[in-house]
Amino acid sequence: VADTEAPVRVLTLRLLPLCFEAELARASVLRTLLFALNDEDLDVRIAAVALVAKVAPHNPAVVMPILRRVLLQLVTDIGHFGASRQLDGSVRVLGGLLSVAAPLMAPYT
């Protein structure tokens, strides 16, 4: 996740095999993935959100607060940006979050 090239970061996050999900759900690894959630590249942020949501069932006590914070930040961003490129990015990340995290939200509906 620390490569200087955004396409490499995106591919790294997207192509991690499912067998690593339990390892990725460790709190120390998830803290590292937080950097990707705040990446300057939109596609990296979308891939990071998808990956964090995938590992949620393995460690919900750590993942759910992270996803909640991301959700609140995205909603705040959408409310403040108006019509801009940043608004489009926030909406795309929010869409990615909702598409992969819908099963996680079922207990709260």
Side-chain angles (χ1 to χ4, degrees):
V1 189
D3 196 274
T4 58
E5 299 294 323
V8 173
R9 294 191 305 270
V10 171
L11 284 176
T12 301
L13 293 169
R14 286 184 183 161
L15 297 178
L16 281 170
L18 296 178
C19 63
F20 290 126
E21 283 184 8
E23 183 66 25
L24 292 171
R26 289 188 0 205
S28 59
V29 176
L30 283 168
R31 281 190 286 275
T32 304
L33 286 175
L34 286 177
F35 291 112
L37 290 171
N38 296 310
D39 197 274
E40 62 191 25
D41 187 80
L42 178 62
D43 292 327
V44 173
R45 289 195 312 260
I46 292 170
V49 164
L51 181 59
V52 170
K54 277 190 220 175
V55 302
H58 297 284
N59 194 352
V62 174
V63 174
M64 293 306 285
I66 291 170
L67 291 178
R68 188 178 308 118
R69 189 169 57 241
V70 169
L71 178 61
L72 289 173
Q73 181 63 47
L74 290 170
V75 170
T76 302
D77 290 350
I78 289 169
H80 285 101
F81 286 143
S84 70
R85 184 173 159 232
Q86 293 169 326
L87 173 66
D88 180 53
S90 294
V91 170
R92 285 186 54 203
V93 174
L94 180 61
L97 172 62
L98 295 176
S99 68
V100 295
L104 303 174
M105 295 178 220
Y108 302 103
T109 58

